[in-house]
């Protein structure tokens, strides 16, 4: 369709655990709609969505891929997302671009870790949700048990929208049918439950329904169905086999007839955040005549066309050759080319309307989560950010060839721009460059890309644990920095106090100096010195967090007062205060979920307990498996992959996500502190800088 109004657009994300068949489902939808001639295969590496060479090699998705197709006069924008927890950043980013989340469940394995997580995140984001049970024709599938599990885990509002029949070879839709046969449930009873739930959203419709007993028409049911979806009062369950195509036409019909268009879905959580002012809610209007408002939910560094910003249009119409601003930038950029993505292909278009998903290339200012607009009236409009998991899995990397260091940082910066869950750390004290991601698989994929696309050869090693320091009491600090060397001297005196803040609060710098004891022109230098002290650490050489530093007094000199003097005084006064504030070392704790054979549960829980882990629960899984949840220090997981392989005979897997920071045991703190002192002593004796 060359031009489509927003009422004929649907935006959908396929989310769920790995191996649920999302990419194959996307292929079946494309084939059924006529967008492609035949369905590709993940095994053969010829699908539209898994086009990256590394994805083809691994046999699963690594990034969110976009496709569009038409069905019954409507355009459907679909985002196929990775399912493994290591690539959650790509899946979560897609939630900011769609109105409906299709949560795909593998009928063979049931509700898995990422399935439940994405279902919850989509609900928190206000998206309409539909549950799609895939692989209904597979062996050893018990659909009645799975439906019962869905309702137990996700609520009674999960109702059947269709039912499989003929042993999973076909599907019968329930809104328009109350007669017929299905594989495991009464079509009449399921039809009645669905109608009863929908009419509850409309008082007049329910009154007429109760009075006459006649089913409302599909047109009459549309509006209350939409309301029930938006409010989460109804979560439809649909059955498909992406492999055979069973249920695919019914799913497409459900999307165009029942899923919301951009004008019907819950409004995205935009807000206006003027500098220094209280944020105010802002509602984008899906009107193609208003000012443009679009949100960048994905950034791609393409080796051929450069930086690509992928966005969802929420308001107005973006046309080729338009002038757009990036967030609060004062200079506009020209939309030289406007694209719609179809897997790896970039299809050039003339315009995009509210609900459309598109891309622009070669705009350096575009970053993940920025807002594009065409009027300075929208300079301070933002979309509520997603709470991405903190990357905790780390690798220290080093180039094999000398002279490649700057090129390494350039490549890492490109990868960091693309992935909100991939971070780079540089530790000057240890000369380590550390890359952090959500798991071993995540980092392995990044290393493979660096090798294949950028020809960068790296050596890797285990990094140091990202310990932190903090304080547990209030204390005062003071330093008078005075230096005289014949000519102009240096003088600066700083008095400050430190106070602990709540865990995770970060850092606050407060200036309450009165009477010009420290001239305002030098306060930035004092703050710089404070930041230096916090970055260097005091107890064991790790950054200080969760404290407030209040500068309350000091002295200067009319001639010798200088920035360098107040920077030094601020640094030393902070160190003085922290040493008296009962400082402690904190370590990162992570939530771990281990999936393994049920017979190994005793060995696994014992192993976790021996490594200071606290088991928080166990959950049975299909095929005689169990999921064990625990909280454990990250420092204890250095060799966990090997231990897990040994304890489960190679059948176990695990995923981690950051939980919180907690004090290390006293013995560990003493060990870290003694190492830090020894390093400082060696550096001083050799004339080198202290860590």
């Amino acid at each position: 369709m060359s031009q489509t109004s927003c009422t004929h657009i649907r935006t959908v994300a396929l989310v769920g655990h790995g191996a649920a068949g999302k990419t194959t489902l996307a292929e079946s939808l494309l084939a059924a709609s006529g967008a492609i001639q035949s369905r590709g295969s993940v095994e053969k590496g010829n699908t539209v969505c898994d086009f990256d060479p590394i994805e083809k090699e691994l046999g699963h998705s690594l990034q969110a891929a976009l496709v569009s197709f038409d069905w019954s006069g409507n355009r459907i924008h679909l985002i196929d997302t990775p399912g493994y927890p290591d690539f959650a950043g790509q899946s979560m980013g897609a939630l900011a671009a769609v109105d409906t989340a299709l949560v795909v469940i593998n009928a063979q394995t049931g509700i898995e870790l990422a399935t439940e997580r994405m279902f919850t995140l989509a609900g928190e984001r206000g998206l309409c949700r539909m549950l799609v049970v895939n692989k209904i024709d597979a062996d050893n599938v018990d659909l009645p048990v799975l439906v019962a599990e869905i309702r137990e885990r996700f609520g009674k509002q999960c109702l059947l929208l269709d039912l499989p029949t003929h042993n999973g070879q076909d599907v019968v839709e329930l809104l328009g049918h109350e007669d017929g046969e299905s594989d495991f449930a009464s079509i009449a009873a399921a039809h009645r439950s669905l109608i009863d739930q929908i009419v509850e959203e409309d008082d007049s419709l329910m009154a007429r329904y109760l009075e006459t007993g006649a089913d409302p028409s599909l047109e009459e049911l549309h509006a209350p169905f939409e309301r029930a979806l938006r409010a989460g009062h109804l979560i439809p369950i649909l059955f498909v086999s992406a492999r055979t195509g069973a249920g695919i036409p019914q799913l497409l019909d459900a999307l165009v007839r029942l899923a919301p268009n951009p004008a019907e879905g819950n409004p995205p959580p935009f807000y206006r955040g003027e500098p220094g002012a209280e944020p105010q809610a802002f509602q984008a209007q899906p009107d193609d005549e208003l000012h443009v408002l679009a949100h960048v939910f994905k950034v791609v560094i393409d080796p051929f066309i450069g930086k690509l910003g992928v966005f969802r249009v929420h308001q107005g119409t973006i046309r080729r050759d338009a002038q757009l601003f990036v967030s609060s930038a004062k200079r506009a950029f020209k939309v030289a080319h406007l694209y719609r993505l179809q897997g790896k292909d970039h299809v050039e278009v003339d315009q995009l309307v509210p609900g459309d998903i598109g891309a622009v290339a070669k705009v350096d200012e575009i970053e993940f989560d920025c807002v594009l607009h065409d009027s300075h009236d929208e300079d301070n409009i933002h979309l509520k950010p997603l709470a991405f998991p903190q990357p905790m899995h780390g690798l220290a990397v080093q180039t094999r060839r000398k002279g490649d260091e700057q090129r390494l940082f350039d490549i890492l910066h490109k990868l960091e721009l693309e992935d909100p869950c991939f971070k780079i750390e540089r530790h000057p004290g240890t000369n380590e460059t550390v890359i952090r991601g959500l798991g071993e698989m995540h980092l392995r994929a990044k290393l493979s890309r660096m090798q294949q696309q950028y020809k960068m050869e790296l050596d890797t090693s285990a990094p140091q644990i990202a310990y932190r320091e903090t304080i547990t009491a209030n204390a005062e600090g003071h330093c008078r920095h005075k230096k005289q060397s014949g000519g102009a001297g240096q003088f600066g005196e700083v008095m400050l106090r430190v106070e602990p803040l709540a865990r995770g609060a970060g850092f606050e710098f407060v200036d309450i100096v009165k009477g010009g004891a420290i001239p305002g022109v030098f306060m930035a230098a004092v703050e710089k010195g404070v930041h230096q002290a916090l970055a260097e650490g005091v107890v064991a050489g790790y950054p200080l967090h969760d404290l407030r530093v209040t500068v309350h007094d000091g002295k200067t000199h009319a001639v010798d007062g200088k920035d360098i003097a107040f920077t030094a005084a601020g640094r030393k006064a902070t160190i003085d205060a922290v040493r008296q504030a009962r400082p402690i070392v904190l370590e990162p704790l992570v939530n771990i979920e281990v999936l393994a054979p049920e017979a190994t549960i005793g060995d696994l829980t014992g192993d976790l307990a021996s490594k200071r882990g606290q088991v928080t629960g166990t959950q049975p899984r299909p095929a005689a498996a169990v999921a064990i949840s625990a909280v454990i220090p990250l420092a204890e997981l250095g060799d966990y992959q090997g231990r897990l392989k040994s304890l489960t005979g190679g059948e176990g897997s695990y995923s981690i996500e950051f939980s919180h920071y907690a004090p290390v045991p006293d013995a560990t703190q003493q060990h870290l502190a003694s190492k830090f002192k020894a390093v400082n002593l060696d550096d001083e004796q050799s004339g080198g800088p202290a860590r």
Side-chain angles (χ1 to χ4, degrees):
M1 307 175 86
S2 58
Q3 187 171 341
T4 305
S5 70
C6 77
T7 56
H8 294 287
I9 292 176
R10 305 292 184 270
T11 56
V12 179
L14 296 177
V15 299
H17 201 82
K22 297 183 296 298
T23 300
T24 304
L25 178 56
E27 285 291 304
S28 293
L29 294 170
L30 288 166
S33 67
I36 57 177
Q37 291 186 344
S38 60
R39 180 171 57 85
S41 163
V42 172
E43 293 75 18
K44 294 180 180 178
N46 60 351
T47 62
V48 175
C49 293
D50 282 358
F51 54 85
D52 185 273
I54 303 174
E55 289 179 319
K56 295 179 181 181
E57 177 185 329
L58 296 176
H60 62 78
S61 301
L62 302 177
Q63 57 188 343
L66 286 83
V67 293
S68 301
F69 53 89
D70 298 334
W71 184 260
S72 297
N74 293 266
R75 176 188 298 145
I76 299 175
H77 294 291
L78 182 140
I79 307 178
D80 176 31
T81 69
Y84 290 104
D86 283 31
F87 307 101
Q90 291 285 314
S91 305
M92 292 174 64
L95 298 181
V98 299
D99 299 310
T100 303
L102 292 184
V103 184
V104 183
I105 300 174
N106 186 337
Q108 292 178 294
T109 56
I111 300 171
E112 299 174 272
L113 174 66
T115 310
E116 190 163 10
R117 179 181 298 164
M118 295 306 296
F119 177 88
T120 302
L121 288 172
E124 292 173 351
R125 197 68 183 181
L127 301 183
C128 299
R129 293 168 291 178
M130 297 183 177
L131 300 171
V132 180
V133 179
N134 189 22
K135 305 185 181 182
I136 58 173
D137 59 330
D139 296 332
N140 302 318
V141 166
D142 193 334
L143 294 178
V145 169
L146 177 56
V147 170
E149 182 189 6
I150 288 172
R151 287 176 173 161
E152 181 182 349
R153 299 273 286 276
F154 296 153
K156 302 290 186 185
Q157 67 272 30
C158 298
L159 293 177
L160 302 169
L161 193 61
D162 57 34
L163 276 168
T165 185
H166 303 125
N167 296 318
Q169 298 304 308
D170 200 1
V171 164
V172 56
E173 185 270 332
L174 294 176
L175 268 181
H177 299 83
E178 55 180 329
D179 298 316
E181 297 181 355
S182 81
D183 289 344
F184 69 88
S186 165
I187 288 179
H191 170 85
R192 192 58 48 212
S193 296
L194 186 60
I195 298 296
D196 290 348
Q197 184 76 11
I198 297 172
V199 297
E200 284 186 6
E201 299 292 324
D202 188 310
D203 291 341
S204 61
L205 191 64
M206 182 169 66
R208 180 158 55 85
Y209 172 65
L210 293 175
E211 182 180 344
T212 65
D215 287 351
S217 68
L218 293 179
E219 290 72 21
E220 291 175 311
L221 289 172
H222 178 81
F225 190 98
E226 293 284 359
R227 288 197 293 272
L229 268 182
R230 288 198 302 272
H233 297 161
L234 172 60
I235 300 171
I237 304 173
L238 301 101
F239 296 90
V240 302
S241 169
R243 184 181 64 85
T244 66
I248 296 299
Q250 290 86 348
L251 175 57
L252 286 166
D253 286 340
L255 290 177
V256 299
R257 289 193 295 112
L258 303 172
N261 63 49
E264 294 171 325
N266 288 321
F270 280 104
Y271 67 94
R272 188 186 296 277
E274 306 282 352
E278 191 72 19
Q280 301 292 325
F282 177 89
Q283 184 164 338
Q285 303 292 333
D287 185 333
D288 55 9
E289 298 297 328
L290 296 178
H291 287 165
V292 167
L293 202 63
H295 173 255
V296 176
F297 66 93
K298 182 178 172 65
V299 172
V300 180
I301 308 298
D302 189 279
F304 302 106
I305 66 173
K307 191 177 189 180
L308 197 71
V310 188
F311 56 84
R312 154 79 183 265
V313 182
H314 291 278
Q315 178 178 290
T317 301
I318 297 181
R319 295 180 175 86
R320 187 161 41 188
D321 296 330
Q323 300 283 329
L324 295 180
F325 299 96
V326 180
S327 296
S328 58
K330 299 306 177 186
R331 286 184 56 189
F333 71 90
K334 181 180 179 181
V335 181
H337 299 279
L338 196 58
Y339 300 104
R340 183 175 296 126
L341 302 184
Q342 193 73 354
K344 67 179 179 181
D345 297 326
H346 305 85
V347 182
E348 196 153 359
V349 296
D350 293 327
Q351 67 177 38
L352 298 171
V353 300
D356 273 333
I357 295 177
V360 292
K362 299 180 181 179
V363 182
D364 291 337
E365 296 82 4
I366 284 183
E367 294 181 350
F368 175 81
D369 209 30
C370 70
V371 170
L372 307 180
H373 56 95
D374 62 355
S375 167
H376 285 303
D377 292 343
E378 281 79 40
D379 275 354
N380 295 293
I381 301 296
H382 313 276
L383 190 65
K384 180 182 176 181
L386 293 154
F388 289 100
Q390 185 169 337
M392 297 303 302
H393 203 93
L395 275 178
V397 296
Q398 187 175 10
T399 60
R400 290 183 182 174
R401 292 181 300 185
K402 288 187 176 181
D404 272 355
E405 289 79 10
Q406 185 56 51
R407 183 164 166 263
L408 169 64
F409 285 114
D410 291 342
I411 294 169
L412 290 176
H413 179 63
K414 291 178 180 178
L415 298 179
E416 191 176 34
L417 287 174
E418 292 182 314
D419 191 339
C421 295
F422 178 72
K423 300 298 178 187
I424 309 160
E425 298 173 2
R426 177 66 181 166
H427 299 284
T430 60
N431 289 321
E432 274 192 336
T433 299
V434 177
I435 58 174
R436 294 199 179 274
L438 299 181
E440 181 184 1
M441 192 186 300
H442 189 195
L443 294 184
R444 194 165 63 240
K446 298 296 183 188
L447 293 172
S448 295
R449 184 171 172 197
M450 291 167 70
Q451 181 179 10
Q452 292 185 21
Q453 182 174 329
Y454 297 103
K455 312 302 179 187
M456 173 62 71
E457 298 286 343
L458 297 174
D459 291 321
T460 63
S461 59
Q464 293 192 4
I465 298 298
Y467 292 107
R468 289 181 176 179
E469 298 179 15
T470 192
I471 58 174
T472 59
N474 297 350
E476 297 275 343
H478 166 252
C479 176
R480 174 182 290 178
H481 178 83
K482 185 176 182 181
K483 188 175 182 180
Q484 198 74 36
S485 56
Q490 299 175 10
F491 183 89
E493 186 170 356
V494 173
M495 301 176 191
L496 52 77
R497 56 176 164 266
V498 295
E499 309 163 64
L501 297 177
R503 195 84 74 237
F507 164 70
E508 293 180 17
F509 180 83
V510 181
D511 168 20
I512 59 170
V513 174
K514 304 293 184 183
I518 299 178
V521 69
F522 293 133
M523 193 53 67
V526 175
E527 186 174 1
K528 179 181 177 182
V530 171
H531 279 288
Q532 287 179 358
L534 300 184
E536 295 166 359
V538 173
V539 180
Y542 296 100
L544 277 148
H545 289 260
D546 307 331
L547 73 162
R548 179 186 294 117
V549 176
T550 304
V551 181
H552 59 84
D553 203 357
K555 291 181 182 178
T556 187
H557 187 277
V559 176
D560 294 344
K562 292 182 175 66
D563 281 344
I564 189 173
F566 279 99
T567 297
R571 175 180 172 274
K572 294 173 184 176
T574 303
I575 293 173
D576 180 41
V578 168
R579 283 175 174 163
Q580 303 175 62
R582 298 204 299 270
I584 59 173
V585 177
L586 305 174
E587 65 178 340
L589 271 61
V590 297
N591 295 318
I592 184 171
E593 181 172 276
V594 183
L595 187 65
E598 192 173 12
T600 63
I601 186 172
D603 292 336
L604 291 172
T605 54
D607 178 72
L608 291 169
S610 72
K611 299 296 184 180
R612 297 191 288 134
Q614 295 182 337
V615 176
T616 56
T618 58
Q619 188 75 35
R621 289 287 187 262
V626 65
I628 304 169
S629 302
V631 179
I632 189 169
L634 182 63
E636 301 290 352
L637 293 178
D639 61 343
Y640 191 68
Q641 186 67 49
R643 299 206 313 271
L644 181 62
K645 183 177 180 180
S646 174
L647 291 171
T648 63
E651 296 184 28
S653 62
Y654 75 100
S655 62
I656 63 171
E657 65 179 4
F658 174 73
S659 175
H660 62 283
Y661 272 87
V664 300
D666 291 341
T668 303
Q669 176 155 328
Q670 292 172 11
H671 173 68
L672 294 172
S674 63
K675 282 176 58 180
F676 179 55
K677 290 176 182 176
V679 169
N680 277 329
L681 182 61
D682 289 344
D683 285 337
E684 289 169 8
Q685 290 175 348
S686 63
R691 178 185 165 198

